Amino acid sequence: ERWRFDLAFLDPPYDWGPYGDLLHLLFHAGITGPESLAIIEHHRSAALPDAGAGFRLQRVVVQGDKRLSFYLGGGAAGGDSG
């Protein structure tokens, strides 16, 4: 049986860009389950998707010039973004 993670914390380099591809891979390659949570740390100016096939932005937390973006799998409904 394969392992599936309920929580994934991702901290790619700040000048990295394909966040949508990363989220798609995370939620479609069997790494996470359909109701898993993924948190991405990124620079405030980085462009991250609001949603994609199988995931949706739940919340964004601002910490100075960094942000934490919380994504739920399964296209779950979003929450606050502040």
Side-chain angles (χ1 to χ4, degrees), residues 44-59:
R44 68 175 182 223
S45 65
L48 277 75
D50 289 334
F55 63 88
R56 182 179 186 92
L57 183 64
Q58 170 78 16
R59 181 177 185 204

Side-chain angles (χ1 to χ4, degrees), residues 7-67:
L7 176 65
F9 183 78
L10 308 168
D11 187 14
Y14 276 12
D15 61 349
W16 194 72
Y19 291 101
D21 293 342
L22 177 62
L23 287 161
H24 180 81
L25 177 66
L26 183 68
F27 286 107
H28 290 278
I31 298 168
T32 59
E35 296 182 13
S36 296
L37 176 67
I39 304 167
I40 300 180
E41 183 177 3
H42 57 91
H43 192 269
R44 68 175 182 223
S45 65
L48 277 75
D50 289 334
F55 63 88
R56 182 179 186 92
L57 183 64
Q58 170 78 16
R59 181 177 185 204
V60 177
V61 175
V62 178
Q63 299 177 317
D65 66 345
K66 297 187 279 187
R67 289 191 178 168

